[in-house]
Amino acid sequence: MHTPTKQHSSETKKTMVPSTLKACITAIALFSTVSAAASDVLPAQVVETLQRFQLPAATLSVTVKDLNTGEVVLNVRGDRPRNPASTMKLVTGLAALERLGPSYRWKTRLFTDGAEEDGRVDGNLVLVGGGDPYLVEERLYRWIRDLRLSGLVSVSGDLIIDDTLFETPSEDRAAFDNEPFRVYNALPSAVLANFNAVRFLFSPAEDALVTVLADPDLAELRVRNNLRSIDGRCRGYRRGIAAHEHPDVDIVFDGRFPNRCRRYGMTRSVMAPWRYTGSLFRWVFESAGGTIAGRVARGSISDTAELIGEFESLSLAEIVRLMNKHSSNLIARQLLLTMAAEADAAPADEPAGVAEVKRWLAAAGFDWPEFVMENGAGRSRIARISTEHLVELIDYGWRSRVMPEFVASMALYGADGTLSEREDFPALRGRAHLKTGSLDHVTALAGVFHAANGRRFALAIAQNAQNAHRGGGQAVQDQLLEWLSSQNPPPTAR
């Protein structure tokens, strides 16, 4: 390097300072440009995956934010309204946790409108629903066992089901995807048991017939079995079984069932919730040695009825965990109606529940002009939210008083819930609490990622593209998580 002589040092300093300053300013400007650009550039492996699955990049929105520093690491089309599918449950769950509290519990109550003596009721039993989303058979059995141990023996009248707390949606269950009996299409109710689900078991019988067994085996369940068996291997879509609606029965089974199937099962929701719950209560009560002489009927409680028992649900924190881990549409809809009921909405219907969520959003300081919620579950063609706002919600939840319950409600990558089978990237196992979302032509993922270097990120990914649900959308999500796990290297491709 050339060293200036002493006589030239003063002049040299005059020329060096401005040039050095200019270089620094240029470097700072270049760094700022790169940093700004980096936040809206997709990682190369994500771009390659989009191309491999022929998914247009314009249909993908991604937002990633460092939860410690507040830095937005990546934001590609994050302001676009997207259908979020089941990631909408994060909004419903956090709103319920904050408005109702993690320890909130539903109560199912049992009344009698007649005289009771020595455990014998001369009158009707009235079961009044409080909206419990998880009154499953095991829990119902425990309650009825306690009723029997307390001395309740027999009922001379009817079992009346009061489901008036919620207004049941009057929707066509086949309208969403022409699958009216699927459990994810089941309707919410103030009196809901076992997710309104029946498991049907099919096996070949003599004379080309097919035996159909139901579990639980409810006396009020009406099944028409038109199935016939044929010689064949145990394969084919639903093993050749078609289920149909009919006004005279709950479900009709048609088709040709392969006789080499020793047993095949499918779970369906086939009865009105009040009939199902009443039938299940009666079945369990009589299995425990009690008797109900009358029928199961729908009605409302009288002013003179006397309380003889009540049963508390799991806590709201446990319910939200079940909802998000397993992506239960029915639980989400029950939560929405519960928020409406607790706000004394009349009627407590889904629009009133959506209004409660929007009031909570406003109180929390969220301004989401694009936000559209239909039923709280994300089982919707019209639901909309941007990934920027989903990340804003997650960031808020991370700092909320209900943060432990909110974060723990999401599935662990590669470990449980809807993410239990994601095993392509073993290094990611257990490093992310995420909520998945999937509909036809929609995939989404949102939650918290815990990097190996200690950084934590809020992220949201939504893709609304033809056939995105056929593997490509999930591959894009995994590639983004893998990129994020490598300590967020500079993006290299748009």
Side-chain angles (χ1 to χ4, degrees):
M1 180 183 288
H2 171 71
T3 303
T5 60
K6 186 174 181 180
Q7 62 264 36
H8 295 127
S9 62
S10 177
E11 182 179 349
T12 303
K13 286 180 182 178
K14 289 180 182 178
T15 58
M16 282 180 65
V17 171
S19 62
T20 303
L21 181 61
K22 182 178 180 182
C24 290
I25 292 171
T26 302
I28 291 170
L30 180 61
F31 176 79
S32 299
T33 302
V34 172
S35 296
S39 68
D40 63 0
V41 174
L42 288 172
Q45 59 261 52
V46 172
V47 175
E48 291 167 3
T49 304
L50 288 169
Q51 293 171 347
R52 178 157 51 94
F53 284 93
Q54 299 182 333
L55 295 172
T59 64
L60 176 69
S61 291
V62 181
T63 304
V64 181
K65 181 179 182 180
D66 188 311
L67 286 167
N68 297 325
T69 67
E71 173 195 4
V72 176
V73 174
L74 184 66
N75 193 22
V76 180
R77 290 175 287 276
D79 60 343
R80 307 282 178 88
R82 300 290 191 194
N83 188 324
S86 283
T87 59
M88 181 64 81
K89 293 180 176 73
L90 293 177
V91 182
T92 305
L94 186 53
L97 285 169
E98 285 224 323
R99 289 191 77 82
L100 305 176
S103 61
Y104 177 90
R105 294 176 187 269
W106 292 258
K107 291 184 178 179
T108 303
R109 295 181 171 90
L110 191 65
F111 293 80
T112 177
D113 62 5
E116 180 188 356
E117 184 176 352
D118 296 329
R120 290 172 170 77
V121 174
D122 185 16
N124 302 315
L125 280 185
V126 185
L127 185 68
V128 180
D132 185 348
Y134 198 71
L135 189 62
V136 293
E137 185 178 325
E138 296 87 342
R139 292 179 57 76
L140 187 63
Y141 180 84
R142 193 178 86 188
W143 180 32
I144 292 174
R145 182 193 62 187
D146 290 343
L147 288 170
R148 289 283 293 114
L149 289 174
S150 70
L152 185 60
V153 176
S154 64
V155 179
S156 67
D158 297 332
L159 174 59
I160 297 174
I161 308 301
D162 185 338
D163 62 352
T164 55
L165 181 65
F166 296 165
E167 183 168 292
T168 303
S170 57
E171 66 185 64
D172 178 6
R173 291 176 54 190
F176 185 73
D177 57 4
N178 201 33
E179 293 281 1
F181 299 123
R182 288 284 194 172
V183 176
Y184 61 73
N185 280 330
L187 298 179
S189 172
V191 182
L192 180 72
N194 240 19
F195 297 101
N196 214 63
V198 177
R199 179 165 174 77
F200 293 99
L201 299 171
F202 306 88
S203 56
E206 294 180 357
D207 299 325
L209 299 178
V210 178
T211 299
V212 181
L213 301 177
D215 180 29
D217 185 15
L218 306 178
E220 286 80 7
L221 175 62
R222 302 166 301 184
V223 177
R224 181 173 296 169
N225 177 12
N226 296 332
L227 287 167
R228 293 294 180 269
S229 67
I230 58 171
D231 184 47
R233 295 171 59 188
C234 190
R235 62 183 182 180
Y237 181 63
R238 296 177 187 170
R239 306 301 185 267
I241 300 169
H244 302 289
E245 295 181 284
H246 193 280
D248 297 331
V249 294
D250 294 306
I251 191 168
V252 177
F253 291 116
D254 290 314
R256 296 294 179 263
F257 183 73
N259 61 8
R260 295 183 210 173
C261 283
R262 297 175 65 181
R263 178 162 288 189
Y264 176 74
M266 64 170 62
T267 301
R268 295 293 184 264
S269 174
V270 298
M271 301 170 72
W274 70 267
R275 281 185 60 233
Y276 181 98
T277 301
S279 299
L280 184 61
F281 185 98
R282 180 176 192 158
W283 181 65
V284 175
F285 185 73
E286 294 181 346
S287 297
T291 60
I292 298 175
R295 61 193 179 98
V296 175
R298 193 182 193 185
S300 57
I301 190 170
S302 67
D303 294 336
T304 58
E306 293 186 5
L307 180 68
I308 61 172
E310 69 177 21
F311 189 68
E312 282 195 342
S313 72
L314 300 176
S315 70
L316 176 63
E318 294 171 281
I319 294 296
V320 172
R321 184 176 182 274
L322 288 164
M323 174 185 74
N324 283 336
K325 291 274 189 187
H326 304 287
S327 202
S328 171
N329 292 332
L330 201 48
I331 289 179
R333 299 181 77 171
Q334 294 286 115
L335 292 189
L336 196 69
L337 288 165
T338 298
M339 284 187 276
E342 288 294 338
D344 295 325
D349 57 11
E350 288 186 328
V354 171
E356 280 304 303
V357 169
K358 289 183 175 180
R359 274 190 277 274
W360 171 76
L361 290 171
F366 297 119
D367 181 18
W368 299 350
E370 88 290 358
F371 180 70
V372 178
M373 175 182 277
E374 184 176 12
N375 51 39
R379 188 199 67 108
S380 170
R381 304 295 182 198
I382 65 171
R384 293 292 183 274
I385 190 172
S386 69
T387 56
E388 283 182 350
H389 289 154
L390 261 179
V391 163
E392 185 181 3
L393 176 93
I394 294 162
D395 188 12
Y396 176 93
W398 182 255
R399 304 171 201 287
S400 166
R401 62 184 173 85
V402 299
M403 181 275 284
E405 292 82 9
F406 176 61
V407 175
S409 74
M410 293 179 251
L412 273 171
Y413 187 95
D416 66 11
T418 57
L419 290 170
S420 62
E421 296 182 0
R422 293 213 187 178
E423 300 174 343
D424 291 343
F425 297 92
L428 300 179
R429 181 180 171 85
R431 290 206 167 275
H433 287 86
L434 300 167
K435 180 71 199 76
T436 58
S438 181
L439 297 170
D440 286 352
H441 317 300
V442 175
T443 59
L445 191 72
V448 177
F449 183 85
H450 310 271
N453 63 359
R455 296 180 73 184
R456 290 186 173 90
F457 302 95
L459 65 96
I461 313 166
Q463 185 144 34
N464 297 175
Q466 187 72 21
N467 292 325
H469 65 293
R470 298 186 185 278
Q474 179 175 315
V476 167
Q477 295 167 4
D478 286 342
Q479 288 294 335
L480 186 76
L481 291 174
E482 198 277 334
W483 168 80
L484 196 57
S485 73
S486 61
Q487 301 183 20
N488 190 30
T492 57
R494 286 189 180 276

